[in-house]
Amino acid sequence: MTAEFGISCLILATLVATFQSFYLFGKTSFKVACMPQAALLQALLVSLALASLVILRVESDFSIQNVAQNSNLHLPILYKIVGTWGNHEGSMLLWLWVLSIFGNMIAISQNIDTALRNMAVAVQSILALGVMIFILLTSNPFARIFPPLTDGKTLNPLLQDIGLALHPPLLYLGYVGFSIVFSLAVASLLTGIRGRQWAHIVHPWILAAWSALTIGIGLGSWWAYRELGWGGWWFWDPVENASLLPWLSGTALLHANIVLKKRGLLGQWVCVLSIMTFALSMIGTFLVRSGALTSVHSFASDPARGLFILAYIICTVGGALVLFAMRGNTVKSEEVASPKSREGLIILNNLFLITACMSVLLGTLYPLFSEWLHGNKLTIGAPYFNLTFIPLMVLPIFFAGLAPYLPWKKADFFKSMHAAKPAILSCVTAIFVLFAIIKTHFLYGILGFGLAIWLLFASINLLLTRNLRANLPVAIAHAGVAVLVAGITGSGLWKTEQEKWLRTGDTLQTGSYALTLENKSAYEDNNYTADQSIFRLEYEGKLLDRLIPEYRNYRISNARTSEAALYPHFGGDVYAVTGETSKDGTAVATRLYHIPMIHFIWAGFVLMALGGVAAIIMNRGKTIDASL
Amino acid sequence: MKPKHQRLIFIAFSMIFMVAAVLLTMQAFRENLVFFYSPSDLSQLSEKPSGLIRIGGLVEAGSINKLNEDSLSFSVTDGQDSIQVEYTGLLPTLFREGQGVVAEGNITGIKHFTASRILTKHDENYMPKEVVDSLKKTGRWQESR
């Protein structure tokens, strides 16, 4: 019954979305009045459909294919619930749910011109309609199987982690959050509401989507770091790149829109970025869902699905771009930005961010094209991304510290730098002191730490010398970037690792940390058996703690995973992971990492997102300020 | 300065940055392409690839040989041809006989490969895409399921 209820809700929601999308083709007063209510109804129906799937999973109804394939009786209740989006069908339903909720939020939000709002809701419904048809035709989560199974298969053991509860919903909030920006951009082309007024309306949505995407990416890295057992947090895996692309373009959009908001410049560019950012979000979904790229994220590889998503992207993005080509030239700005003003630096940063975005896109898509065109199978390794992406980020990070000190319009460069003097002086001192202590001579280290210190000091100094309230969000977000850069540099520079087969009493040493195998034990859980190794961890001969990593064997899928044991120390982690036991049963394969400053990376992600949230709060209720 | 000149300077700077970025990218690109070969691809090539490459197939049953405490050799097959792989280090948790594997490293002799990295799948159902394709070509795909 629940399944039929769920599918009925989904079909009804499709009808509502169809009705809403008619708004685009002529508006009767009846339809105008109905738009907010229709959006609410659509969101409600999709929520009920999602709730039905959650209930089916909690009840373990194994006559439902989706539940039978991805759940079983022994699965803890948490994973029964959050496993809802741990598979293709469920995750598409979650995608749709976020899309509908956002559609409803824009429909009920105040202070928006009614015509623009209704048009945005209609565009959002068209987006939703495509996803609904996709779900109904190719990925029905409520499909039944006959005969029903007595017990289900299992959830991929790597997904059985708290990360699954948090990472996909937040990532989707970010990906799909940019759909609102897209819808508002298309609506602005259709209604003619542009410029600073439009920028003020769209800004909180950009901030919200960007913050969610930032945290979503951070959580994904944190999850990979703990679960995959390689002691790394970013692998330039195609799927990670897929989330980085909309982030880079979204960051560019966020800054460009500030220029539009304050100065009324860059209208066309912001419009293109709004369309592009959501397009990149969808390309990310396409790459992951079509099975074009294989990774831990690809649940199913069905070419029909890939083609459908590709067609969906071409229709929505293509349609928006055609509209832009027809109407975009009326989004004109008369003035030219001076390169020595704040907007000048923001434009420069935009160029860098988009170039970086394109170089990552090239590296991610090239293997696909190469295979289609030449039949060559190849991969593009991490060195490519490090060589292109990192140099492209150097100047933008430097400018990020500088820009908030420059006034809008035209600036006397040296006069405005006066306020930044304390930051510059203390930064130079700190860099010298730091390198006297740590004696790093690598260009990478000097550059990384130098930039991090500069941006951090510049941000703190901004709070001390300028208006606190106005500069708090930018200071927090930029400090987040600084802390992240410091974390990336430090963990990359000083990470050490050792691996060895250990017998009881053997010691593995990395840096000042020593890991000694004390003994081994095993235990049984509902859905796996685990070999535990009990290690003594010492730092310069002093006992720190006991580390107990596990090597698990999930019974139903016969899959093995390593559960790393972490010991946080001085902002870094000592990370121990074990693998198989040798044939004679005495030695266990052990890897020990010391990853300094890794916590700076997590803190950086959190600070950046906090900056975004602070900006939403600080800007609330603000109307367009007097023209500059 | 007239706005027109400012705009020209700005465009000139942007162009310089863009060109630098493109050159940097192309350079990095050329040096970091890692091609994938199946064992039968390799035996058909007239000239052996010199740089870093990836090979993949199934770990041949009974071929795993421990050379010492932490190095071993095994052969990778696609049903038609096979190649001997030598590797030093701990293996990924899912490395097993008869299962899909991708090895990254260099050709070090006739039908001999020294791997610097072994990549296996994330779970039992996952098979590297390249391996699936090359197994389909030699008709061993169904067998290995």
Side-chain angles (χ1 to χ4, degrees):
Chain A
M1 262 312 285
T2 319
E4 284 66 33
F5 177 72
I7 193 92
S8 311
C9 284
L10 213 52
I11 293 168
L12 283 175
T14 313
L15 294 177
V16 174
T18 314
F19 166 77
Q20 282 177 289
S21 56
F22 285 153
Y23 180 86
L24 279 181
F25 314 104
K27 33 200 154 183
T28 62
S29 53
F30 168 68
K31 279 184 213 150
V32 173
C34 281
M35 284 312 269
Q37 284 81 352
L40 179 65
L41 185 63
Q42 188 203 0
L44 198 69
L45 286 168
V46 175
S47 305
L48 285 173
L50 184 65
S52 311
L53 187 61
V54 174
I55 291 168
L56 285 170
R57 288 187 59 98
V58 172
E59 285 176 343
S60 294
D61 185 341
F62 297 124
S63 69
I64 304 297
Q65 187 179 18
N66 182 271
V67 182
Q69 294 288 337
N70 302 297
S71 183
N72 63 62
L73 290 170
H74 301 297
L75 208 61
I77 183 81
L78 172 71
Y79 298 129
K80 280 185 182 167
I81 296 170
V82 301
T84 307
W85 47 77
N87 56 76
H88 170 77
E89 292 83 2
S91 74
M92 288 318 293
L93 195 57
L94 180 71
W95 216 86
L96 176 65
W97 183 70
V98 179
L99 200 65
S100 293
I101 292 292
F102 273 122
N104 181 50
M105 276 165 67
I106 192 101
I108 58 170
S109 62
Q110 306 296 316
N111 306 328
I112 299 185
D113 179 273
T114 324
L116 182 74
R117 189 189 67 194
N118 285 345
M119 195 58 89
V121 172
V123 176
Q124 188 81 0
S125 318
I126 291 179
L127 293 177
L129 189 61
V131 181
M132 287 166 185
I133 295 172
F134 174 71
I135 292 178
L136 289 173
L137 291 183
T138 70
S139 350
N140 178 7
F142 302 107
R144 292 205 181 261
I145 44 166
F146 189 81
L149 303 184
T150 47
D151 194 0
K153 290 183 175 169
T154 190
L155 183 67
N156 182 343
L158 286 172
L159 300 182
Q160 296 185 27
D161 180 79
I162 187 67
L164 180 66
L166 306 168
H167 163 64
L170 275 162
L171 195 68
Y172 278 11
L173 270 182
Y175 272 0
V176 186
F178 282 113
S179 69
I180 274 292
V181 182
F182 173 88
S183 297
L184 281 169
V186 173
S188 115
L189 288 171
L190 288 168
T191 58
I193 293 160
R194 310 239 159 100
R196 299 181 62 197
Q197 190 195 354
W198 182 83
H200 268 273
I201 294 170
V202 78
H203 206 63
W205 298 100
I206 299 176
L207 285 167
W210 182 86
S211 304
L213 188 59
T214 306
I215 281 290
I217 294 174
L219 277 169
S221 303
W222 179 70
W223 184 6
Y225 171 72
R226 293 179 319 123
E227 275 295 296
L228 296 181
W230 302 331
W233 64 281
W234 191 267
F235 307 96
W236 292 110
D237 178 86
V239 175
E240 292 170 338
N241 295 348
S243 69
L244 183 63
L245 294 170
W247 189 87
L248 288 170
S249 138
T251 309
L253 171 63
L254 177 63
H255 291 86
N257 197 55
I258 295 174
V259 176
L260 180 61
K261 203 168 75 141
K262 294 274 181 194
R263 297 273 288 116
L265 299 175
L266 303 181
Q268 287 176 318
W269 176 236
V270 167
C271 192
V272 171
L273 278 182
S274 303
I275 295 169
M276 191 172 108
T277 305
F278 185 55
L280 289 170
S281 298
M282 288 194 290
I283 287 172
T285 312
F286 163 72
L287 289 178
V288 178
R289 289 287 155 266
S290 62
L293 301 165
T294 36
S295 82
V296 66
H297 294 78
S298 41
F299 305 123
S301 32
D302 179 352
R305 288 172 177 168
L307 280 177
F308 194 107
I309 301 178
L310 204 59
Y312 177 76
I313 297 174
I314 290 168
C315 289
T316 53
V317 178
L321 287 176
V322 166
L323 199 64
F324 177 75
M326 283 160 54
R327 304 250 182 126
N329 58 348
T330 53
V331 194
K332 242 197 177 125
S333 38
E334 301 80 26
E335 278 183 273
V336 180
S338 155
K340 278 191 302 187
S341 62
R342 194 187 296 188
E343 56 266 37
L345 278 191
I346 290 181
I347 293 170
L348 213 55
N349 265 16
N350 257 257
L351 284 175
F352 277 107
L353 284 168
I354 295 304
T355 312
C357 181
M358 289 304 133
S359 75
V360 174
L361 186 68
L362 178 74
T364 310
L365 292 185
Y366 188 78
L368 283 178
F369 289 131
S370 161
E371 196 177 339
W372 285 337
L373 294 175
H374 314 293
N376 282 336
K377 294 194 182 75
L378 51 86
T379 33
I380 291 172
Y384 162 77
F385 294 102
N386 290 335
L387 275 172
T388 53
F389 186 76
I390 294 173
L392 278 170
M393 283 296 109
V394 171
L395 277 178
I397 292 171
F398 177 71
F399 290 150
L402 213 55
Y405 289 97
L406 284 178
W408 299 100
K409 271 190 163 172
K410 212 167 183 138
D412 182 339
F413 187 79
F414 292 101
K415 206 167 148 193
S416 20
M417 278 305 102
H418 192 69
K421 233 187 228 161
I424 297 168
L425 288 178
S426 45
C427 170
V428 171
T429 321
I431 291 173
F432 274 113
V433 170
L434 192 68
F435 289 106
I437 300 169
I438 59 177
K439 297 189 178 66
T440 301
H441 302 296
F442 296 110
L443 178 69
Y444 173 66
I446 291 171
L447 210 59
F449 284 123
L451 281 173
I453 293 169
W454 155 244
L455 188 53
L456 185 67
F457 281 27
S459 304
I460 294 171
N461 185 55
L462 195 63
L463 290 181
L464 300 177
T465 56
R466 295 287 171 93
N467 181 335
L468 185 75
R469 205 181 126 85
N471 286 301
L472 192 62
V474 58
I476 297 175
H478 284 181
V481 176
V483 172
L484 178 70
V485 170
I488 294 171
T489 312
S491 63
L493 211 54
W494 295 312
K495 179 180 166 181
T496 57
E497 57 178 283
Q498 284 295 326
E499 52 179 25
K500 215 168 144 185
W501 289 88
L502 291 188
R503 291 187 175 76
T504 310
D506 285 354
T507 300
L508 191 58
Q509 185 126 16
T510 184
S512 307
Y513 297 91
L515 192 73
T516 310
L517 181 61
E518 288 192 323
N519 61 57
K520 286 181 292 196
S521 72
Y523 73 95
E524 288 206 14
D525 187 84
N526 270 334
N527 58 349
Y528 60 83
T529 54
D531 291 331
Q532 288 182 315
S533 307
I534 298 149
F535 291 103
R536 192 171 66 238
L537 178 68
E538 285 166 349
Y539 175 70
E540 291 176 341
K542 286 194 297 284
L543 178 71
L544 287 179
D545 200 1
R546 287 199 159 67
L547 285 182
I548 310 176
E550 292 177 7
Y551 182 63
R552 290 183 185 167
N553 186 1
Y554 285 78
R555 241 171 273 126
I556 295 168
S557 56
N558 195 28
R560 290 158 181 83
T561 67
S562 296
E563 287 291 309
L566 273 66
Y567 183 82
H569 205 218
F570 300 132
D573 278 330
V574 182
Y575 185 118
V577 58
T578 52
E580 271 172 293
T581 305
S582 62
K583 282 210 179 79
D584 58 1
T586 56
V588 58
T590 311
R591 235 173 298 163
L592 175 67
Y593 299 94
H594 175 226
I595 308 150
M597 294 184 78
I598 187 86
H599 296 179
F600 284 60
I601 293 176
W602 315 140
F605 278 113
V606 172
L607 278 174
M608 281 196 282
L610 269 182
V613 174
I616 299 175
I617 296 169
M618 299 283 181
N619 286 326
R620 269 183 66 168
K622 258 196 197 168
T623 45
I624 303 173
D625 35 343
S627 189
L628 285 152
Chain B
M1 237 189 306
K2 279 182 197 160
K4 200 177 169 186
H5 292 151
Q6 288 193 350
R7 188 155 44 177
L8 273 177
I9 291 172
F10 190 70
I11 290 172
F13 264 108
S14 322
M15 291 296 275
I16 293 169
F17 280 129
M18 286 300 197
V19 168
V22 168
L23 288 179
L24 208 66
T25 305
M26 291 331 270
Q27 183 65 19
F29 206 77
R30 228 173 295 140
E31 286 167 6
N32 289 293
L33 292 182
V34 182
F35 284 88
F36 175 92
Y37 299 94
S38 68
S40 44
D41 285 344
L42 277 177
S43 59
Q44 280 158 17
L45 287 176
S46 49
E47 199 179 320
K48 298 297 171 219
S50 55
L52 195 68
I53 61 163
R54 284 185 179 186
I55 59 153
L58 300 176
V59 179
E60 202 161 358
S63 74
I64 302 179
N65 255 326
K66 270 222 148 138
L67 301 175
N68 57 47
E69 180 92 310
D70 47 25
S71 67
L72 80 168
S73 77
F74 56 92
S75 64
V76 169
T77 173
D78 60 1
Q80 259 176 17
D81 237 308
S82 64
I83 184 164
Q84 193 73 17
V85 177
E86 209 171 287
Y87 175 70
T88 305
L90 291 184
L91 290 163
T93 46
L94 291 165
F95 183 85
R96 210 145 275 130
E97 283 183 359
Q99 294 205 328
V101 67
V102 170
E104 195 174 273
N106 301 83
I107 299 273
T108 40
I110 299 161
K111 298 212 167 198
H112 196 276
F113 186 82
T114 304
S116 49
R117 216 148 69 102
I118 301 282
L119 308 123
T120 48
K121 30 193 200 167
H122 284 303
D123 73 276
E124 299 297 294
N125 299 317
Y126 170 67
M127 181 79 87
K129 191 173 175 296
E130 295 89 344
V131 175
V132 173
D133 290 346
S134 73
L135 287 175
K136 276 182 181 160
K137 233 189 262 171
T138 58
R140 288 261 317 248
W141 170 234
Q142 284 311 320
E143 209 180 302
S144 68
R145 289 293 279 185

